[in-house]
Amino acid sequence: MPSYRSATSADLDACWALRTRALQIGCAAHYPAETLAVLCASPPPPSMPGLLAAGAAIVAEEDGYPVGYAVLDGASGEVEAVFVAPEWQGRGIGLQLLARLEALAAGRKLPRLFLSASLNAVPVYERAGFARVREELHPHRSGIALASVFMEKQLTRGSSGFNASKLDSPPDRR
């Protein structure tokens, strides 16, 4: 079972490498190879070091090795990233990371979380209580338009609205 901690700028390279592997494997059935090549070649956004430094990112790690991470824009409520290493997927790590971001957002009194979900990730976000708002072509900073689903989750005061205690066991596989 991984442990969770706040990410630091020292985690950026390892998290970006994890993100690239997750995209290559997790998105392969949902996007053309040319699109994935562009996404995987893109460097971290210029805002990423600042978001990590602001304490709005969580790393899941096992034996000191990152197995997942999530990043929140603590000012707007946008979930900037949630990635789990391919070999660690299906164990509830993504849901646990989302629950922790939600707690951060609630602590900052944000009214909602929102994101543009890759097509392969929509079911995970739905399990975490996010609702589909619309399908969209998300303008990625690399210059491509990525088919995605804009999703949001309204937050209630005093509660994250998501029961993280149910995450100690893997989700049902139907």
Side-chain angles (χ1 to χ4, degrees):
M1 195 68 149
S3 60
Y4 296 84
R5 64 172 175 79
S6 292
T8 68
S9 57
D11 294 311
L12 182 58
D13 290 341
C15 287
W16 204 253
L18 181 153
R19 166 238 178 231
T20 301
R21 284 189 309 112
L23 285 173
Q24 289 168 332
I25 294 169
C27 293
H30 299 275
Y31 296 100
E34 302 80 29
T35 299
L36 287 178
V38 171
L39 288 174
C40 290
S42 67
S47 62
M48 190 67 75
L51 292 171
L52 294 177
I58 308 290
V59 171
E61 62 185 6
E62 182 75 23
D63 297 326
Y65 177 77
V67 297
Y69 78 99
V71 181
L72 173 70
D73 180 328
S76 70
E78 183 172 7
V79 176
E80 296 282 343
V82 178
F83 290 99
V84 176
E87 63 275 14
W88 284 84
Q89 291 177 3
R91 301 180 195 193
I93 295 169
L95 292 172
Q96 189 66 253
L97 287 165
L98 283 166
R100 291 167 191 276
L101 286 189
E102 199 170 317
L104 282 172
R108 295 173 186 217
K109 299 186 181 0
L110 294 171
R112 72 178 183 135
L113 293 177
F114 64 96
L115 55 93
S116 185
S118 59
L119 300 178
N120 60 300
V122 170
V124 173
Y125 292 117
E126 287 177 328
R127 281 198 310 272
F130 283 77
R132 295 174 188 235
V133 175
R134 67 181 173 273
E135 292 181 6
E136 64 181 4
L137 289 175
H138 179 72
H140 190 266
R141 69 184 183 289
S142 64
I144 63 171
L146 187 67
S148 60
V149 177
F150 185 84
M151 303 180 81
E152 69 180 357
K153 182 174 185 178
Q154 300 298 320
L155 302 179
T156 58
R157 290 194 173 222
S159 170
S160 69
F162 184 69
N163 187 351
S165 67
K166 293 182 180 179
L167 299 177
D168 291 335
S169 59
D172 292 338
R173 294 190 188 242
R174 295 183 181 139

